[in-house]
Every structure is written in C-alpha cells, then in structure tokens.
Amino acid sequence: MNSDENTPTFLEDVKINVKIKLSALWATLMFLYLYLDFFKLYEPGSIEEILAGRVWEFEITQAWALSAMVLMTIPSLMVFLSMALPAKANRLANIIVGALYVFIGIGTMIGEVWYFYLFGHSLGVLLLLLIVWYAWKWPKQEA
C-alpha cells in the first residue's frame, strides 16, 4: 500500500495579485454593461424610441453620444490602467473611479421597472463595491 494514498490532498489556491483582480472586475463590469445595453434594445418600444431620436429621456445628439462614449471609455480604460499604473496611483484611481461609478450605477436604476436591468445594474454596483474594497485593502509591503 502506498502511503501517499492516505495523505490528504488540497486544491492549490494561488494568491492572485490585486492588479489582476481589479482588472478582471473592470472587464467583467464592461461585459455586463454591454449585455445590459444590448438587452435594453429588446424592451417593447425601444427601437421606435431610438428611431425617433431618443434614448431613455434623452435626445440623441452629438453631445449625448460623446457623453455616453466618455462614460463607457473610463471603465474600459480601467481594465488596462488597473494592470499598468503604479500601486499608489492605481489604488487611488480604482477607489475614485469605482466610487463614482457606484453612484452612476445607482442613478441608472432610478425609475427603472425591468427586472433584468435592475438585476444587472445591482450586480454592477456590487462589482464596483468589490473594486473599491480591493483597492482600499491593497496589500502593504514593508519598505
């Protein structure tokens, strides 16, 4: 009988660097945003509203499109910046941008009645709170 058969085994649990966690959370959030916007098109009347030049309560203009683009560019860039910025700047950027987008996510849900949208943005807010949490708890190392 081999003595190794009686030795308990455990799954290896590799410690993941906080930069990778943050980047993965931002990437997950971006996929969630894409799916929310895509499924929003399936709401009755959504396409007609877009064809009439309106999205939600906003008129579709150059300024609206630019604003929407900037709003989605920032978390897109955070996927990269979470990996590339030095620790101190990275931590600060993730806390500030993450907290800002928590408020944006909550604001997006105001007046919404579709469950998928409420669920998706609630999950988005949870992901953003995790981003802020991981950045806040960034591991320290001795000098």
Side-chain angles (χ1 to χ4, degrees):
M1 179 169 181
N2 186 348
S3 64
D4 287 342
E5 289 178 17
N6 294 331
T7 305
T9 59
F10 301 98
L11 296 176
E12 182 179 5
D13 193 11
V14 177
K15 184 173 167 63
I16 299 173
N17 184 290
V18 70
K19 286 184 169 191
I20 296 171
K21 288 179 186 179
L22 291 169
S23 183
L25 284 166
W26 282 111
T28 303
L29 182 70
M30 287 308 303
F31 279 115
L32 187 61
Y33 283 166
L34 285 170
Y35 276 107
L36 281 166
D37 285 347
F38 178 75
F39 288 133
K40 190 88 172 146
L41 295 173
Y42 287 93
E43 285 182 21
S46 180
I47 300 297
E48 291 80 7
E49 195 173 309
I50 292 169
L51 291 173
R54 296 196 67 76
V55 174
W56 298 290
E57 300 300 318
F58 303 102
E59 183 180 346
I60 299 173
T61 64
Q62 289 271 356
W64 175 85
L66 179 61
S67 299
M69 189 65 196
V70 169
L71 197 64
M72 290 298 99
T73 298
I74 294 168
S76 297
L77 288 173
M78 288 305 294
V79 175
F80 170 73
L81 293 175
S82 293
M83 293 292 289
L85 287 175
K88 195 171 185 177
N90 201 333
R91 179 177 186 261
L92 189 61
N94 275 281
I95 290 170
I96 292 170
V97 175
L100 174 66
Y101 274 78
V102 165
F103 291 108
I104 291 170
I106 292 169
T108 303
M109 292 188 282
I110 294 173
E112 184 58 55
V113 296
W114 283 80
Y115 295 138
F116 85 92
Y117 206 73
L118 293 170
F119 171 76
H121 274 289
S122 296
L123 185 55
V125 168
L126 178 63
L127 291 171
L128 288 159
L129 290 171
L130 279 172
I131 288 167
V132 172
W133 172 259
Y134 279 122
W136 190 269
K137 293 297 207 172
W138 196 292
K140 311 275 191 282
Q141 69 183 82
E142 293 182 29

